[in-house]
Amino acid sequence: MIKQILILLSVVFTSAAMAADLPRTPSTDGAEVYIVSPADGAKVGTTFDVVFGLKGMGVAPAGIDMPNTGHHHLLLNSDELPPMTVPMGTQVAHFGGGQTQTTLTLEPGKHTLQLILGDKLHIPHDPPVISKQITITVE
């Protein structure tokens, strides 16, 4: 599923990702995005649920222009954050429908998960709303 999302994103955002310095939407003071589950350090099976949390802002689908809202993007095994001035593309899984959870299937081993909130155009807010990176072990 993640692979299909990433392929679609590469097609949709190829031209958009080339645009630099697009306007950024302000985030709400004190807004937080976080991973509800699994917990940092958890051991999970090869297929497991990831539940997203958001505090201080609301969730709205991509393309919807509502103040103080955004939608989730999940970084998987990423040591770097995406650029803050362009739409997030193939380096992240995109949940533009306003989803607040997903099911992942991963190979056994250690993996990292991190969330970043995107605005209606998939651009990180200003300042960006980014979760703590967690590490899980798939058994």
Side-chain angles (χ1 to χ4, degrees):
M1 168 110 173
I2 294 293
K3 188 174 184 178
Q4 293 167 332
I5 292 169
L6 294 176
I7 290 169
L8 177 62
L9 284 174
S10 68
V11 172
V12 172
F13 291 111
T14 298
S15 62
M18 294 177 175
D21 299 321
L22 292 173
R24 291 178 61 201
T25 304
S27 58
T28 304
D29 287 341
E32 296 177 31
V33 64
Y34 52 94
I35 297 172
V36 175
S37 68
D40 190 23
K43 293 180 181 182
V44 298
T46 55
T47 299
F48 61 98
D49 292 331
V50 181
V51 180
F52 314 147
L54 180 61
K55 180 177 146 188
M57 292 181 72
V59 175
I64 302 297
D65 189 9
M66 291 181 62
N68 304 316
T69 65
H71 62 277
H72 296 94
H73 294 82
L74 179 65
L75 288 80
L76 177 62
N77 299 323
S78 180
D79 292 330
E80 294 183 19
L81 292 172
M84 295 294 120
T85 57
V86 298
M88 290 177 276
T90 59
Q91 71 273 38
V92 298
H94 169 248
F95 298 93
Q99 303 94 315
T100 57
Q101 64 182 37
T102 191
T103 300
L104 295 179
T105 300
L106 299 175
E107 295 292 323
K110 287 196 175 194
H111 298 276
T112 61
L113 305 172
Q114 188 172 24
L115 290 171
I116 183 168
L117 203 63
D119 70 7
K120 66 184 181 286
L121 298 175
H122 316 282
I123 300 170
H125 292 78
D126 185 20
V129 182
I130 304 169
S131 76
K132 173 187 160 206
Q133 185 181 71
I134 68 164
T135 301
I136 58 164
T137 302
V138 175
E139 298 184 322

PDB file of all heavy atoms in Angstrom, residues 65-98:
ATOM      1  N   ASP A  65      -9.237  24.402   2.131  1.00  0.00           N
ATOM      2  CA  ASP A  65      -8.651  25.613   2.707  1.00  0.00           C
ATOM      3  C   ASP A  65      -9.427  26.017   3.957  1.00  0.00           C
ATOM      4  O   ASP A  65     -10.382  26.787   3.884  1.00  0.00           O
ATOM      5  CB  ASP A  65      -8.659  26.734   1.671  1.00  0.00           C
ATOM      6  CG  ASP A  65      -7.869  27.955   2.119  1.00  0.00           C
ATOM      7  OD1 ASP A  65      -7.174  27.874   3.145  1.00  0.00           O
ATOM      8  OD2 ASP A  65      -7.961  28.984   1.429  1.00  0.00           O
ATOM      9  N   MET A  66      -9.028  25.457   5.098  1.00  0.00           N
ATOM     10  CA  MET A  66      -9.639  25.787   6.384  1.00  0.00           C
ATOM     11  C   MET A  66      -8.536  26.229   7.322  1.00  0.00           C
ATOM     12  O   MET A  66      -7.476  25.588   7.387  1.00  0.00           O
ATOM     13  CB  MET A  66     -10.361  24.572   6.974  1.00  0.00           C
ATOM     14  CG  MET A  66     -11.596  24.157   6.214  1.00  0.00           C
ATOM     15  SD  MET A  66     -12.412  22.734   6.980  1.00  0.00           S
ATOM     16  CE  MET A  66     -12.834  23.398   8.583  1.00  0.00           C
ATOM     17  N   PRO A  67      -8.748  27.320   8.051  1.00  0.00           N
ATOM     18  CA  PRO A  67      -7.708  27.781   8.983  1.00  0.00           C
ATOM     19  C   PRO A  67      -7.378  26.725  10.037  1.00  0.00           C
ATOM     20  O   PRO A  67      -8.241  25.956  10.458  1.00  0.00           O
ATOM     21  CB  PRO A  67      -8.342  29.011   9.650  1.00  0.00           C
ATOM     22  CG  PRO A  67      -9.519  29.369   8.811  1.00  0.00           C
ATOM     23  CD  PRO A  67      -9.939  28.145   8.074  1.00  0.00           C
ATOM     24  N   ASN A  68      -6.117  26.707  10.438  1.00  0.00           N
ATOM     25  CA  ASN A  68      -5.646  25.866  11.542  1.00  0.00           C
ATOM     26  C   ASN A  68      -5.889  24.378  11.315  1.00  0.00           C
ATOM     27  O   ASN A  68      -6.204  23.642  12.250  1.00  0.00           O
ATOM     28  CB  ASN A  68      -6.266  26.311  12.871  1.00  0.00           C
ATOM     29  CG  ASN A  68      -5.980  27.760  13.142  1.00  0.00           C
ATOM     30  OD1 ASN A  68      -4.860  28.229  12.954  1.00  0.00           O
ATOM     31  ND2 ASN A  68      -6.986  28.507  13.556  1.00  0.00           N
ATOM     32  N   THR A  69      -5.741  23.929  10.068  1.00  0.00           N
ATOM     33  CA  THR A  69      -5.897  22.516   9.758  1.00  0.00           C
ATOM     34  C   THR A  69      -4.739  22.041   8.886  1.00  0.00           C
ATOM     35  O   THR A  69      -4.000  22.839   8.320  1.00  0.00           O
ATOM     36  CB  THR A  69      -7.212  22.204   9.011  1.00  0.00           C
ATOM     37  OG1 THR A  69      -7.191  22.839   7.728  1.00  0.00           O
ATOM     38  CG2 THR A  69      -8.422  22.647   9.800  1.00  0.00           C
ATOM     39  N   GLY A  70      -4.631  20.735   8.779  1.00  0.00           N
ATOM     40  CA  GLY A  70      -3.641  20.116   7.908  1.00  0.00           C
ATOM     41  C   GLY A  70      -3.953  18.641   7.794  1.00  0.00           C
ATOM     42  O   GLY A  70      -4.979  18.168   8.298  1.00  0.00           O
ATOM     43  N   HIS A  71      -3.078  17.920   7.128  1.00  0.00           N
ATOM     44  CA  HIS A  71      -3.234  16.472   7.022  1.00  0.00           C
ATOM     45  C   HIS A  71      -1.879  15.823   7.242  1.00  0.00           C
ATOM     46  O   HIS A  71      -0.836  16.447   7.081  1.00  0.00           O
ATOM     47  CB  HIS A  71      -3.869  16.067   5.686  1.00  0.00           C
ATOM     48  CG  HIS A  71      -3.061  16.437   4.497  1.00  0.00           C
ATOM     49  ND1 HIS A  71      -3.091  17.701   3.933  1.00  0.00           N
ATOM     50  CD2 HIS A  71      -2.172  15.729   3.762  1.00  0.00           C
ATOM     51  CE1 HIS A  71      -2.266  17.740   2.904  1.00  0.00           C
ATOM     52  NE2 HIS A  71      -1.697  16.554   2.778  1.00  0.00           N
ATOM     53  N   HIS A  72      -1.918  14.556   7.624  1.00  0.00           N
ATOM     54  CA  HIS A  72      -0.712  13.844   8.037  1.00  0.00           C
ATOM     55  C   HIS A  72       0.122  13.340   6.859  1.00  0.00           C
ATOM     56  O   HIS A  72      -0.400  12.957   5.825  1.00  0.00           O
ATOM     57  CB  HIS A  72      -1.086  12.641   8.912  1.00  0.00           C
ATOM     58  CG  HIS A  72      -1.729  13.023  10.192  1.00  0.00           C
ATOM     59  ND1 HIS A  72      -3.086  13.080  10.345  1.00  0.00           N
ATOM     60  CD2 HIS A  72      -1.206  13.360  11.379  1.00  0.00           C
ATOM     61  CE1 HIS A  72      -3.378  13.445  11.586  1.00  0.00           C
ATOM     62  NE2 HIS A  72      -2.251  13.619  12.235  1.00  0.00           N
ATOM     63  N   HIS A  73       1.437  13.324   7.091  1.00  0.00           N
ATOM     64  CA  HIS A  73       2.415  12.686   6.207  1.00  0.00           C
ATOM     65  C   HIS A  73       3.300  11.851   7.121  1.00  0.00           C
ATOM     66  O   HIS A  73       3.705  12.315   8.190  1.00  0.00           O
ATOM     67  CB  HIS A  73       3.257  13.725   5.471  1.00  0.00           C
ATOM     68  CG  HIS A  73       2.465  14.545   4.507  1.00  0.00           C
ATOM     69  ND1 HIS A  73       1.716  15.635   4.905  1.00  0.00           N
ATOM     70  CD2 HIS A  73       2.304  14.436   3.176  1.00  0.00           C
ATOM     71  CE1 HIS A  73       1.135  16.152   3.839  1.00  0.00           C
ATOM     72  NE2 HIS A  73       1.472  15.449   2.778  1.00  0.00           N
ATOM     73  N   LEU A  74       3.598  10.632   6.719  1.00  0.00           N
ATOM     74  CA  LEU A  74       4.383   9.712   7.534  1.00  0.00           C
ATOM     75  C   LEU A  74       5.733   9.472   6.889  1.00  0.00           C
ATOM     76  O   LEU A  74       5.805   9.045   5.731  1.00  0.00           O
ATOM     77  CB  LEU A  74       3.637   8.384   7.700  1.00  0.00           C
ATOM     78  CG  LEU A  74       4.338   7.299   8.508  1.00  0.00           C
ATOM     79  CD1 LEU A  74       4.503   7.722   9.971  1.00  0.00           C
ATOM     80  CD2 LEU A  74       3.554   5.995   8.423  1.00  0.00           C
ATOM     81  N   LEU A  75       6.782   9.754   7.627  1.00  0.00           N
ATOM     82  CA  LEU A  75       8.142   9.469   7.176  1.00  0.00           C
ATOM     83  C   LEU A  75       8.536   8.118   7.732  1.00  0.00           C
ATOM     84  O   LEU A  75       8.432   7.875   8.937  1.00  0.00           O
ATOM     85  CB  LEU A  75       9.114  10.530   7.690  1.00  0.00           C
ATOM     86  CG  LEU A  75       9.020  11.907   7.043  1.00  0.00           C
ATOM     87  CD1 LEU A  75       7.884  12.715   7.631  1.00  0.00           C
ATOM     88  CD2 LEU A  75      10.313  12.653   7.219  1.00  0.00           C
ATOM     89  N   LEU A  76       8.978   7.231   6.871  1.00  0.00           N
ATOM     90  CA  LEU A  76       9.359   5.879   7.252  1.00  0.00           C
ATOM     91  C   LEU A  76      10.845   5.701   6.994  1.00  0.00           C
ATOM     92  O   LEU A  76      11.307   5.903   5.864  1.00  0.00           O
ATOM     93  CB  LEU A  76       8.551   4.865   6.435  1.00  0.00           C
ATOM     94  CG  LEU A  76       8.842   3.393   6.637  1.00  0.00           C
ATOM     95  CD1 LEU A  76       8.553   2.980   8.068  1.00  0.00           C
ATOM     96  CD2 LEU A  76       8.013   2.560   5.671  1.00  0.00           C
ATOM     97  N   ASN A  77      11.580   5.382   8.055  1.00  0.00           N
ATOM     98  CA  ASN A  77      13.025   5.137   7.941  1.00  0.00           C
ATOM     99  C   ASN A  77      13.753   6.306   7.281  1.00  0.00           C
ATOM    100  O   ASN A  77      14.611   6.115   6.423  1.00  0.00           O
ATOM    101  CB  ASN A  77      13.303   3.841   7.173  1.00  0.00           C
ATOM    102  CG  ASN A  77      12.721   2.639   7.870  1.00  0.00           C
ATOM    103  OD1 ASN A  77      12.719   2.556   9.094  1.00  0.00           O
ATOM    104  ND2 ASN A  77      12.193   1.708   7.105  1.00  0.00           N
ATOM    105  N   SER A  78      13.400   7.508   7.676  1.00  0.00           N
ATOM    106  CA  SER A  78      13.992   8.702   7.078  1.00  0.00           C
ATOM    107  C   SER A  78      14.875   9.420   8.094  1.00  0.00           C
ATOM    108  O   SER A  78      14.436   9.744   9.190  1.00  0.00           O
ATOM    109  CB  SER A  78      12.890   9.648   6.599  1.00  0.00           C
ATOM    110  OG  SER A  78      13.447  10.796   6.020  1.00  0.00           O
ATOM    111  N   ASP A  79      16.116   9.662   7.704  1.00  0.00           N
ATOM    112  CA  ASP A  79      17.030  10.401   8.565  1.00  0.00           C
ATOM    113  C   ASP A  79      16.929  11.901   8.346  1.00  0.00           C
ATOM    114  O   ASP A  79      17.488  12.681   9.104  1.00  0.00           O
ATOM    115  CB  ASP A  79      18.474   9.952   8.327  1.00  0.00           C
ATOM    116  CG  ASP A  79      18.706   8.526   8.797  1.00  0.00           C
ATOM    117  OD1 ASP A  79      18.044   8.091   9.753  1.00  0.00           O
ATOM    118  OD2 ASP A  79      19.554   7.847   8.190  1.00  0.00           O
ATOM    119  N   GLU A  80      16.232  12.307   7.280  1.00  0.00           N
ATOM    120  CA  GLU A  80      16.115  13.726   6.956  1.00  0.00           C
ATOM    121  C   GLU A  80      14.656  14.117   6.800  1.00  0.00           C
ATOM    122  O   GLU A  80      13.847  13.348   6.292  1.00  0.00           O
ATOM    123  CB  GLU A  80      16.842  14.027   5.644  1.00  0.00           C
ATOM    124  CG  GLU A  80      18.337  13.845   5.715  1.00  0.00           C
ATOM    125  CD  GLU A  80      19.004  14.229   4.400  1.00  0.00           C
ATOM    126  OE1 GLU A  80      18.397  14.954   3.592  1.00  0.00           O
ATOM    127  OE2 GLU A  80      20.139  13.799   4.200  1.00  0.00           O
ATOM    128  N   LEU A  81      14.354  15.342   7.211  1.00  0.00           N
ATOM    129  CA  LEU A  81      13.027  15.883   6.990  1.00  0.00           C
ATOM    130  C   LEU A  81      12.928  16.377   5.552  1.00  0.00           C
ATOM    131  O   LEU A  81      13.942  16.759   4.955  1.00  0.00           O
ATOM    132  CB  LEU A  81      12.768  17.041   7.953  1.00  0.00           C
ATOM    133  CG  LEU A  81      12.660  16.663   9.428  1.00  0.00           C
ATOM    134  CD1 LEU A  81      12.605  17.906  10.295  1.00  0.00           C
ATOM    135  CD2 LEU A  81      11.425  15.802   9.657  1.00  0.00           C
ATOM    136  N   PRO A  82      11.712  16.385   4.993  1.00  0.00           N
ATOM    137  CA  PRO A  82      11.570  16.925   3.640  1.00  0.00           C
ATOM    138  C   PRO A  82      11.811  18.435   3.655  1.00  0.00           C
ATOM    139  O   PRO A  82      11.756  19.067   4.711  1.00  0.00           O
ATOM    140  CB  PRO A  82      10.113  16.598   3.288  1.00  0.00           C
ATOM    141  CG  PRO A  82       9.426  16.452   4.592  1.00  0.00           C
ATOM    142  CD  PRO A  82      10.455  15.934   5.555  1.00  0.00           C
ATOM    143  N   PRO A  83      12.072  19.047   2.492  1.00  0.00           N
ATOM    144  CA  PRO A  83      12.234  20.506   2.445  1.00  0.00           C
ATOM    145  C   PRO A  83      10.973  21.183   2.989  1.00  0.00           C
ATOM    146  O   PRO A  83       9.865  20.714   2.751  1.00  0.00           O
ATOM    147  CB  PRO A  83      12.415  20.809   0.960  1.00  0.00           C
ATOM    148  CG  PRO A  83      12.790  19.513   0.329  1.00  0.00           C
ATOM    149  CD  PRO A  83      12.197  18.433   1.176  1.00  0.00           C
ATOM    150  N   MET A  84      11.155  22.270   3.703  1.00  0.00           N
ATOM    151  CA  MET A  84      10.026  22.944   4.333  1.00  0.00           C
ATOM    152  C   MET A  84       9.318  23.919   3.396  1.00  0.00           C
ATOM    153  O   MET A  84       8.298  24.485   3.755  1.00  0.00           O
ATOM    154  CB  MET A  84      10.488  23.697   5.592  1.00  0.00           C
ATOM    155  CG  MET A  84      10.984  22.790   6.696  1.00  0.00           C
ATOM    156  SD  MET A  84       9.697  21.735   7.390  1.00  0.00           S
ATOM    157  CE  MET A  84      10.369  20.131   7.034  1.00  0.00           C
ATOM    158  N   THR A  85       9.835  24.133   2.195  1.00  0.00           N
ATOM    159  CA  THR A  85       9.260  25.143   1.307  1.00  0.00           C
ATOM    160  C   THR A  85       8.646  24.571   0.035  1.00  0.00           C
ATOM    161  O   THR A  85       8.234  25.328  -0.841  1.00  0.00           O
ATOM    162  CB  THR A  85      10.334  26.172   0.907  1.00  0.00           C
ATOM    163  OG1 THR A  85      11.425  25.487   0.304  1.00  0.00           O
ATOM    164  CG2 THR A  85      10.806  26.958   2.113  1.00  0.00           C
ATOM    165  N   VAL A  86       8.584  23.251  -0.087  1.00  0.00           N
ATOM    166  CA  VAL A  86       7.971  22.637  -1.270  1.00  0.00           C
ATOM    167  C   VAL A  86       7.009  21.539  -0.828  1.00  0.00           C
ATOM    168  O   VAL A  86       7.128  21.022   0.283  1.00  0.00           O
ATOM    169  CB  VAL A  86       9.026  22.045  -2.243  1.00  0.00           C
ATOM    170  CG1 VAL A  86       9.934  23.130  -2.772  1.00  0.00           C
ATOM    171  CG2 VAL A  86       9.826  20.949  -1.595  1.00  0.00           C
ATOM    172  N   PRO A  87       6.059  21.165  -1.676  1.00  0.00           N
ATOM    173  CA  PRO A  87       5.144  20.083  -1.304  1.00  0.00           C
ATOM    174  C   PRO A  87       5.909  18.792  -1.015  1.00  0.00           C
ATOM    175  O   PRO A  87       6.879  18.475  -1.692  1.00  0.00           O
ATOM    176  CB  PRO A  87       4.272  19.916  -2.553  1.00  0.00           C
ATOM    177  CG  PRO A  87       4.356  21.229  -3.253  1.00  0.00           C
ATOM    178  CD  PRO A  87       5.748  21.737  -2.979  1.00  0.00           C
ATOM    179  N   MET A  88       5.451  18.076   0.002  1.00  0.00           N
ATOM    180  CA  MET A  88       6.075  16.806   0.340  1.00  0.00           C
ATOM    181  C   MET A  88       5.677  15.789  -0.717  1.00  0.00           C
ATOM    182  O   MET A  88       4.515  15.631  -1.032  1.00  0.00           O
ATOM    183  CB  MET A  88       5.638  16.359   1.733  1.00  0.00           C
ATOM    184  CG  MET A  88       6.229  17.231   2.821  1.00  0.00           C
ATOM    185  SD  MET A  88       5.674  16.776   4.462  1.00  0.00           S
ATOM    186  CE  MET A  88       4.117  17.665   4.532  1.00  0.00           C
ATOM    187  N   GLY A  89       6.656  15.110  -1.273  1.00  0.00           N
ATOM    188  CA  GLY A  89       6.396  14.189  -2.375  1.00  0.00           C
ATOM    189  C   GLY A  89       6.715  12.764  -2.023  1.00  0.00           C
ATOM    190  O   GLY A  89       6.251  12.230  -1.028  1.00  0.00           O
ATOM    191  N   THR A  90       7.586  12.158  -2.799  1.00  0.00           N
ATOM    192  CA  THR A  90       7.811  10.718  -2.714  1.00  0.00           C
ATOM    193  C   THR A  90       8.551  10.260  -1.466  1.00  0.00           C
ATOM    194  O   THR A  90       8.575   9.074  -1.192  1.00  0.00           O
ATOM    195  CB  THR A  90       8.600  10.246  -3.948  1.00  0.00           C
ATOM    196  OG1 THR A  90       9.837  10.956  -3.999  1.00  0.00           O
ATOM    197  CG2 THR A  90       7.812  10.475  -5.217  1.00  0.00           C
ATOM    198  N   GLN A  91       9.135  11.140  -0.712  1.00  0.00           N
ATOM    199  CA  GLN A  91       9.879  10.696   0.461  1.00  0.00           C
ATOM    200  C   GLN A  91       8.967  10.411   1.660  1.00  0.00           C
ATOM    201  O   GLN A  91       9.434   9.963   2.688  1.00  0.00           O
ATOM    202  CB  GLN A  91      10.972  11.712   0.835  1.00  0.00           C
ATOM    203  CG  GLN A  91      10.471  13.011   1.426  1.00  0.00           C
ATOM    204  CD  GLN A  91      10.120  14.070   0.400  1.00  0.00           C
ATOM    205  OE1 GLN A  91       9.584  13.781  -0.664  1.00  0.00           O
ATOM    206  NE2 GLN A  91      10.403  15.314   0.713  1.00  0.00           N
ATOM    207  N   VAL A  92       7.666  10.668   1.518  1.00  0.00           N
ATOM    208  CA  VAL A  92       6.745  10.457   2.629  1.00  0.00           C
ATOM    209  C   VAL A  92       5.462   9.793   2.142  1.00  0.00           C
ATOM    210  O   VAL A  92       5.094   9.918   0.978  1.00  0.00           O
ATOM    211  CB  VAL A  92       6.391  11.792   3.336  1.00  0.00           C
ATOM    212  CG1 VAL A  92       7.607  12.438   3.942  1.00  0.00           C
ATOM    213  CG2 VAL A  92       5.707  12.751   2.386  1.00  0.00           C
ATOM    214  N   ALA A  93       4.787   9.089   3.044  1.00  0.00           N
ATOM    215  CA  ALA A  93       3.453   8.560   2.752  1.00  0.00           C
ATOM    216  C   ALA A  93       2.451   9.655   3.080  1.00  0.00           C
ATOM    217  O   ALA A  93       2.511  10.277   4.138  1.00  0.00           O
ATOM    218  CB  ALA A  93       3.186   7.308   3.576  1.00  0.00           C
ATOM    219  N   HIS A  94       1.546   9.875   2.163  1.00  0.00           N
ATOM    220  CA  HIS A  94       0.627  11.004   2.219  1.00  0.00           C
ATOM    221  C   HIS A  94      -0.774  10.526   2.601  1.00  0.00           C
ATOM    222  O   HIS A  94      -1.271   9.556   2.033  1.00  0.00           O
ATOM    223  CB  HIS A  94       0.646  11.635   0.816  1.00  0.00           C
ATOM    224  CG  HIS A  94      -0.400  12.629   0.575  1.00  0.00           C
ATOM    225  ND1 HIS A  94      -1.430  12.394  -0.309  1.00  0.00           N
ATOM    226  CD2 HIS A  94      -0.593  13.855   1.075  1.00  0.00           C
ATOM    227  CE1 HIS A  94      -2.200  13.457  -0.331  1.00  0.00           C
ATOM    228  NE2 HIS A  94      -1.724  14.339   0.496  1.00  0.00           N
ATOM    229  N   PHE A  95      -1.397  11.218   3.533  1.00  0.00           N
ATOM    230  CA  PHE A  95      -2.737  10.860   3.986  1.00  0.00           C
ATOM    231  C   PHE A  95      -3.675  12.045   3.761  1.00  0.00           C
ATOM    232  O   PHE A  95      -4.252  12.603   4.683  1.00  0.00           O
ATOM    233  CB  PHE A  95      -2.703  10.394   5.445  1.00  0.00           C
ATOM    234  CG  PHE A  95      -1.867   9.161   5.598  1.00  0.00           C
ATOM    235  CD1 PHE A  95      -0.522   9.249   5.919  1.00  0.00           C
ATOM    236  CD2 PHE A  95      -2.407   7.915   5.337  1.00  0.00           C
ATOM    237  CE1 PHE A  95       0.264   8.104   6.005  1.00  0.00           C
ATOM    238  CE2 PHE A  95      -1.635   6.764   5.418  1.00  0.00           C
ATOM    239  CZ  PHE A  95      -0.302   6.869   5.756  1.00  0.00           C
ATOM    240  N   GLY A  96      -3.791  12.429   2.483  1.00  0.00           N
ATOM    241  CA  GLY A  96      -4.535  13.611   2.071  1.00  0.00           C
ATOM    242  C   GLY A  96      -6.034  13.500   2.191  1.00  0.00           C
ATOM    243  O   GLY A  96      -6.729  14.493   2.015  1.00  0.00           O
ATOM    244  N   GLY A  97      -6.536  12.325   2.502  1.00  0.00           N
ATOM    245  CA  GLY A  97      -7.972  12.169   2.720  1.00  0.00           C
ATOM    246  C   GLY A  97      -8.380  12.551   4.137  1.00  0.00           C
ATOM    247  O   GLY A  97      -9.546  12.480   4.485  1.00  0.00           O
ATOM    248  N   GLY A  98      -7.404  12.942   4.937  1.00  0.00           N
ATOM    249  CA  GLY A  98      -7.689  13.273   6.333  1.00  0.00           C
ATOM    250  C   GLY A  98      -7.606  12.063   7.252  1.00  0.00           C
ATOM    251  O   GLY A  98      -8.062  12.118   8.394  1.00  0.00           O
TER     252      GLY A  98
END
